[in-house]
Amino acid sequence: MKKYLQIFLLLVAMLLPWATQAQVSCPPGQTSCNVVVMMWDSYGDGWDYGDCYLEFYSGSTLLGSASLLDGSTGSTTVPVCEGDSIRVVWNDPWDGCTDEISFRILSMGGDTLMEVSDASMYNDGQTMTTFEATSSTTTSSREASLTRGRRGR
């Protein structure tokens, strides 16, 4: 039974990025670029089997999401449009994500936009950071990283 579950989770992990990433159609004059999300889980069960995840928004439009469904490491790309202000939101609907979850968001140029070593510091639905997307590199406000709040328990 465990083997079937592993095969199912592997298939879902392969198809999830395709199913959850928006196809970005940038306005005339803007080019498409990507941000990369590198994800780790020290326990090895993914981000609580995908229950915890990041969402990337431009205004109120969801551009994509990122989660680690199983295992210890993974990465995904999220398409964005040059010049857009991107907002990153943490989702932990069951309030169960622990200090085993960490991630790094990289610009198209390889610059670190945000690095989190303990995701349990964030509340469900909290904006973690915002940044402006550009085709060569992406600049982060880092404001949210510096002023993030502790979980209220």
Side-chain angles (χ1 to χ4, degrees):
M1 182 68 172
K2 185 177 180 181
K3 185 173 184 165
Y4 290 115
L5 178 61
Q6 289 175 332
I7 292 170
F8 173 75
L9 290 174
L10 178 62
L11 288 172
V12 169
M14 290 186 315
L15 295 174
L16 187 66
W18 174 80
T20 61
Q21 302 302 323
Q23 298 299 316
V24 172
S25 178
C26 298
Q30 284 184 298
T31 56
S32 169
C33 52
N34 293 322
V35 293
V36 176
V37 183
M38 299 171 61
M39 301 167 280
W40 297 276
D41 182 89
S42 62
Y43 188 73
D45 64 348
W47 288 5
D48 289 350
Y49 299 102
D51 284 345
C52 305
Y53 55 98
L54 299 167
E55 290 179 321
F56 293 79
Y57 289 91
S58 175
S60 61
T61 302
L62 177 63
L63 301 174
S65 60
S67 185
L68 187 60
L69 295 180
D70 193 16
S72 298
T73 64
S75 66
T76 191
T77 59
V78 178
V80 297
C81 291
E82 181 178 22
D84 282 354
S85 178
I86 308 301
R87 181 171 50 97
V88 181
V89 176
W90 175 245
N91 290 279
D92 179 6
W94 310 111
D95 195 30
C97 296
T98 64
D99 59 356
E100 69 195 48
I101 294 171
S102 58
F103 63 90
R104 182 179 304 141
I105 302 172
L106 302 170
S107 72
M108 189 170 169
D111 297 324
T112 298
L113 301 172
M114 181 177 199
E115 186 165 355
V116 171
S117 60
D118 179 1
S120 68
M121 297 168 56
Y122 294 94
N123 296 308
D124 181 49
Q126 181 177 354
T127 296
M128 303 177 88
T129 192
T130 59
F131 58 87
E132 182 180 331
T134 65
S135 58
S136 58
T137 126
T138 311
T139 56
S140 171
S141 71
R142 300 217 188 261
E143 189 173 287
S145 298
L146 299 174
T147 60
R148 63 182 176 241
R150 293 262 178 206
R151 283 181 177 264
R153 301 218 189 236

